[in-house]
């Protein structure tokens, strides 16, 4: 994480795995970085507020790679290799009318 965050940077893990939830407070105590972890809210207003922060540049998502929706198996295999340095996103397709 040292090379991923700016000095005194903050990392927010949303829907992190169990190990992220356990390690976040320890990382905050043992490094100069602040790490926050927890489950994602299921409220639409929370999602809209979060997206506003992203759009305004207050929060910068760290995306490692983007896969087409049809390549979901390849995306999953990439995640399983545990070499990613950010989130893996799926590019959704337009619905067929």
């Amino acid at each position: 994480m040292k090379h991923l965050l700016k000095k005194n940077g903050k990392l927010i893990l949303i829907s992190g795995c169990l190990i992220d939830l356990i390690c976040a407070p320890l990382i905050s105590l043992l490094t100069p970085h602040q790490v926050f972890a927890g489950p994602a809210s299921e409220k639409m207003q929370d999602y809209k507020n979060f997206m506003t922060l992203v759009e305004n540049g207050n929060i910068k998502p760290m995306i490692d790679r983007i896969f087409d929706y049809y390549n979901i198996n390849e995306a999953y295999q990439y995640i399983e290799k545990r070499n990613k340095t950010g989130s893996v996103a799926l590019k959704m397709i337009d619905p067929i009318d």
Side-chain angles (χ1 to χ4, degrees):
M1 181 174 31
K2 180 179 176 183
H3 62 286
L4 299 176
L5 296 175
K6 293 180 181 178
K7 184 178 180 179
N8 298 320
K10 296 176 184 169
L11 175 63
I12 301 172
L13 301 171
I14 300 173
S15 291
C17 65
L18 180 59
I19 196 74
D20 291 337
L21 296 174
I22 294 169
C23 290
L26 296 173
I27 293 170
S28 293
L29 287 172
L30 301 174
T31 71
H33 306 296
Q34 292 180 352
V35 181
F36 305 93
S41 172
E42 295 179 14
K43 297 177 185 171
M44 182 55 75
Q45 189 59 47
D46 290 340
Y47 172 75
K48 289 177 181 179
N49 291 340
F50 179 76
M51 290 309 298
T52 299
L53 291 170
V54 171
E55 290 168 359
N56 292 338
N58 300 98
I59 295 176
K60 182 180 177 185
M62 187 187 289
I63 299 176
D64 183 291
R65 286 186 67 181
I66 300 173
F67 291 88
D68 287 333
Y69 177 77
Y70 290 115
N71 296 329
I72 193 168
N73 288 336
E74 184 181 340
Y76 184 75
Q77 290 172 359
Y78 182 73
I79 292 169
E80 286 295 304
K81 290 181 183 177
R82 299 187 180 268
N83 292 329
K84 65 185 189 76
T85 57
S87 295
V88 172
L90 292 176
K91 182 178 178 182
M92 302 307 289
I93 57 172
D94 291 329
I96 299 173
D97 294 321

